[in-house]
Amino acid sequence: MENTNCCGGVDDVYGEDSATVDQLVTPWTVSIASGYNLLRDPRHNKGLGFNEKERDAHYLRGLLPPVVLSQELQEKKLMQNLRNYEVPLQRYMAMMDLQERNQRLFYKLLVDNVEELLPVVYTPTVGEACQKYGSIFRRPQGLYISLKEKGKILEVLKNWPERNIQVIVVTDGERILGLGDLGSQGMGIPVGKLALYTALGGVRPSACLPVTIDVGTNNENLLNDEFYIGLKQKRATGQEYAELLEEFMTAVKQNYGEKILVQFEDFANHNAFELLAKYSSTHLVFNDDIQGTASVVLAGLISSLKLVGGSLHDHKFLFLGAGEAGTGIAELIALEISKRTESPIEETRKKIWLVDSKGLIVSSRKESLPHFKQPWAHEHEPVKTLVDAVKVEIKPTVLIGTSGVGKTFTQEVVEAMSSINERPVILALSNPTSQSECTAEEAYAWSKGKAIFASGSPFDPVELDGKVLMPSQSNNAYIFPGFGLGLIISGAIRVHDDMLLAASEALAAQVSQENYDEGRIYPPFSNIRKISAHIAANVAAKVYDLGLASHLPRPKDLVKYAESCMYSPIYRSYR
């Protein structure tokens, strides 16, 4: 076999990825899968897609109805079925059932219908799925590591059937989207994120591992729920928590090696910052809530400059919300301005102001602030409300919501932004839809169509005064799949902030004039695999430039190389 080391350096033992589509592959499990077992193996099952020759060779005669359907026809039938469901959660459950039954068809559906199905397998529907995970739980997906497994985490990792893992997405379920502590039921998040790693970034499904770390929950409803699937105890904190995470991170590196990417997802603020700071110098780690959100928002801001004019350093930014997302975005904006103007970051941070639950973050509050808010405590009189900060004090050109609290960009706030800016940039980023600071319709109506609007969850186009306005979705799914692929194909050993800037710049460069004409500041998701390949190439280039790559020599054309490493969900023909 010519290329057994494709897919970013993980050996392609069975020739699944290095074989071309017209070559035959063997559906290995421990032995060759055949008959009833083949139909029950989601990696190789094609349902009615098995042709006559395959049915004879693999003892499938009589186990399937006589008709043979192409993958395209199967896809058409399933999309019709999905559209017949009126409740989004039913669509989510149908998609999860398909993933358990026929992996390639699941990803084919997702790749070909990404704009329609992304809100089903990820936000906003995944939030409801996590809330009801105990009730809809059928077959376990991913690894559950609880306090019961303390001292045995390496053994637990070895229980996972796949050995060549490239990406782990891990949560402790304490801050799921804007929904709070969902404990073990947060598993829907790593499962959903990794489905997107494969569909949007082309990372092989067998190389992805979803993990939930269960240290208990402080959610009384779950503790009193007889169907709750997690530990029924209050959350462990302090040393007990730190020791479990330390054991997990050590075991991951021991089992999968130096280049395993660990993506932290939906940890509460205090743990998220500490874990990222603690492990970023020893592991390949990435926090999507802090770094992924920051990168995708920065990309939107860079592209919005085409509509509002000026450079980033000409603008003034005001945030509502000073948690992981808010401070992460603020820091990356300051870093990008610093890089472009060659000013010290302490200086560029002064263009950025944050409002939390107690009002504007100012220097007089510094003593009482947690460490991650302190860089944003500038000299200013205290300001209690967002509307005062917008109207009277700060007068920002860009308003960014990361508060997790819905309806906080009121009519007065949006009108104030419109009165001081010709084209106000308003980003209502909190998820799910119910927690969005305002809707697209509100932003456009209250600004009389002047606002450049993007949100965390999707909104439909808005018609105003005979004109159709297209809201953008500032979705992390633009960034993390391509970002992760870039780290994998270069064999990165550490994540550096410059890689995040490279991802932002690559995404902003994918916005076309046609998109700008529609008022969009992000490209449509229908081109996401092409976008991911360009992001992966830009990130990988930065990894090589920084001397942090282990896959040598550097490929000549990184975009083509990224595309060649992407998993294809098209059915394979079996011997």
Side-chain angles (χ1 to χ4, degrees):
M1 196 162 296
E2 285 181 12
N3 177 17
T4 58
N5 201 26
C6 73
C7 294
V10 168
D11 287 343
D12 182 20
V13 181
Y14 306 124
E16 260 189 39
D17 297 282
S18 52
T20 58
V21 171
D22 54 354
Q23 283 179 301
L24 298 175
V25 296
T26 303
W28 287 95
T29 51
V30 177
S31 57
I32 298 174
S34 64
Y36 189 79
N37 289 337
L38 181 53
L39 296 177
R40 294 293 178 273
D41 184 342
R43 290 170 302 171
H44 305 303
N45 177 31
K46 298 196 281 186
L48 295 173
F50 288 105
N51 63 33
E52 301 293 348
K53 195 175 166 189
E54 289 169 333
R55 293 180 190 209
D56 284 331
H58 293 282
Y59 309 100
L60 296 171
R61 285 281 170 207
L63 298 180
L64 290 165
V67 72
V68 175
L69 295 183
S70 67
Q71 193 177 17
E72 288 69 30
L73 207 54
Q74 287 179 305
E75 183 181 351
K76 184 180 175 184
K77 184 188 84 170
L78 279 164
M79 284 308 296
Q80 278 184 0
N81 291 348
L82 285 169
R83 286 167 186 148
N84 286 336
Y85 290 120
E86 292 181 8
V87 180
L89 189 61
Q90 289 176 327
R91 287 193 201 108
Y92 174 89
M93 291 168 70
M95 286 295 286
M96 292 303 108
D97 283 347
L98 178 61
Q99 189 180 18
E100 294 282 327
R101 194 171 70 244
N102 183 334
Q103 208 173 68
R104 283 185 184 269
L105 188 54
F106 170 83
Y107 287 113
K108 184 83 164 62
L109 234 68
L110 202 42
V111 169
D112 291 348
N113 304 277
V114 64
E115 291 187 301
E116 188 172 346
L117 294 180
L118 191 61
V120 175
V121 299
Y122 203 61
T123 181
T125 311
V126 75
E128 186 186 356
C130 287
Q131 287 175 310
K132 297 174 180 172
Y133 212 74
S135 308
I136 65 174
F137 182 81
R138 292 178 186 179
R139 282 177 65 183
Q141 294 172 293
L143 271 183
Y144 291 85
I145 296 173
S146 74
L147 290 167
K148 289 181 181 178
E149 280 71 58
K150 197 169 182 193
K152 298 181 282 192
I153 292 179
L154 186 57
E155 290 171 46
V156 173
L157 290 177
K158 290 179 189 294
N159 288 345
W160 188 251
E162 302 293 347
R163 293 286 169 264
N164 295 323
I165 301 297
Q166 294 173 313
V167 186
I168 290 173
V169 176
V170 59
T171 187
D172 70 353
E174 190 170 1
R175 192 201 60 84
I176 297 298
L177 303 174
L179 303 170
D181 186 348
L182 297 182
S184 249
Q185 296 187 172
M187 179 58 97
I189 297 294
V191 168
K193 287 270 173 174
L194 286 167
L196 301 185
Y197 259 110
T198 299
L200 314 187
V203 179
R204 276 184 302 167
S206 60
C208 298
L209 174 57
V211 176
T212 291
I213 293 183
D214 187 350
V215 294
T217 178
N218 295 336
N219 185 326
E220 290 296 334
N221 291 336
L222 294 180
L223 291 172
N224 296 322
D225 181 353
E226 60 179 326
F227 300 120
Y228 176 55
I229 59 173
L231 287 181
K232 289 198 172 183
Q233 64 174 65
K234 291 285 187 185
R235 277 191 173 272
T237 56
Q239 191 178 345
E240 189 180 13
Y241 180 89
E243 283 173 1
L244 191 74
L245 266 293
E246 175 67 24
E247 186 189 343
F248 170 71
M249 294 300 289
T250 304
V252 158
K253 203 166 171 181
Q254 195 175 335
N255 204 41
Y256 301 120
E258 186 81 30
K259 292 176 285 186
I260 177 76
L261 171 61
V262 179
Q263 179 170 313
F264 296 121
E265 197 67 47
D266 287 355
F267 283 76
N269 287 346
H270 53 286
N271 291 323
F273 286 103
E274 281 176 27
L275 291 169
L276 191 59
K278 182 175 182 181
Y279 293 109
S280 57
S281 58
T282 57
H283 292 66
L284 183 68
V285 292
F286 170 68
N287 184 305
D288 192 41
D289 304 301
I290 299 172
Q291 296 165 297
T293 304
S295 187
V296 77
V297 173
L298 177 60
L301 293 173
I302 292 170
S303 65
S304 73
L305 296 174
K306 284 265 177 79
L307 296 171
V308 296
S311 304
L312 268 186
H313 64 267
D314 297 324
H315 290 270
K316 201 183 273 189
F317 306 86
L318 179 64
F319 286 76
L320 177 64
E324 293 168 60
T327 55
I329 299 163
E331 186 66 13
L332 205 63
I333 294 170
L335 205 63
E336 178 75 358
I337 296 173
S338 170
K339 185 181 139 196
R340 291 191 179 204
T341 60
E342 297 181 353
S343 308
I345 195 161
E346 293 76 18
E347 204 55 43
T348 59
R349 282 183 186 135
K350 290 176 182 169
K351 300 236 167 227
I352 303 163
W353 297 81
L354 278 67
V355 171
D356 64 8
S357 57
K358 294 184 174 66
L360 192 66
I361 294 177
V362 292
S363 51
S364 58
R365 291 177 53 196
K366 202 164 188 176
E367 295 301 312
S368 62
L369 291 171
H371 65 92
F372 58 86
K373 292 185 185 180
Q374 287 179 6
W376 312 103
H378 308 317
E379 285 293 333
H380 200 285
E381 291 299 310
V383 179
K384 284 290 177 203
T385 66
L386 176 66
V387 72
D388 285 343
V390 170
K391 238 182 191 174
V392 186
E393 304 296 338
I394 308 303
K395 297 188 176 173
T397 53
V398 179
L399 180 64
I400 301 174
T402 61
S403 62
V405 183
K407 307 295 176 196
T408 38
F409 288 175
T410 61
Q411 185 169 350
E412 195 179 359
V413 168
V414 174
E415 285 176 350
M417 282 294 292
S418 306
S419 69
I420 52 179
N421 297 292
E422 187 54 43
R423 297 293 310 271
V425 178
I426 297 174
L427 310 183
L429 302 178
S430 295
N431 286 319
T433 316
S434 58
Q435 309 303 118
S436 186
E437 284 79 9
C438 69
T439 67
E441 198 172 348
E442 288 167 345
Y444 291 134
W446 294 337
S447 68
K448 296 185 171 54
K450 288 163 59 175
I452 295 162
F453 177 82
S455 55
S457 287
F459 285 104
D460 291 330
V462 175
E463 194 174 332
L464 189 74
D465 300 330
K467 191 180 176 190
V468 176
L469 301 163
M470 302 290 291
S472 295
Q473 189 187 359
S474 181
N475 192 323
N476 293 21
Y478 277 116
I479 289 285
F480 71 81
F483 186 80
L485 182 66
L487 298 176
I488 290 165
I489 64 174
S490 59
I493 53 171
R494 297 290 178 270
V495 171
H496 190 280
D497 283 339
D498 281 357
M499 299 171 199
L500 298 169
L501 298 179
S504 299
E505 287 158 9
L507 176 56
Q510 295 300 306
V511 187
S512 68
Q513 188 57 50
E514 187 187 344
N515 302 148
Y516 286 126
D517 292 343
E518 294 171 335
R520 291 178 188 254
I521 53 173
Y522 293 101
F525 260 109
S526 51
N527 300 330
I528 188 62
R529 277 207 157 195
K530 174 178 164 275
I531 294 164
S532 291
H534 281 272
I535 290 171
N538 226 31
V539 170
K542 187 56 70 176
V543 175
Y544 283 107
D545 292 347
L546 292 169
L548 293 171
S550 63
H551 290 163
L552 300 168
R554 174 178 177 156
K556 283 197 177 86
D557 187 331
L558 282 166
V559 176
K560 276 191 178 159
Y561 182 62
E563 287 172 340
S564 74
C565 289
M566 283 181 164
Y567 166 85
S568 166
I570 294 166
Y571 283 158
R572 312 308 304 270
S573 296
Y574 296 151
R575 290 182 181 93

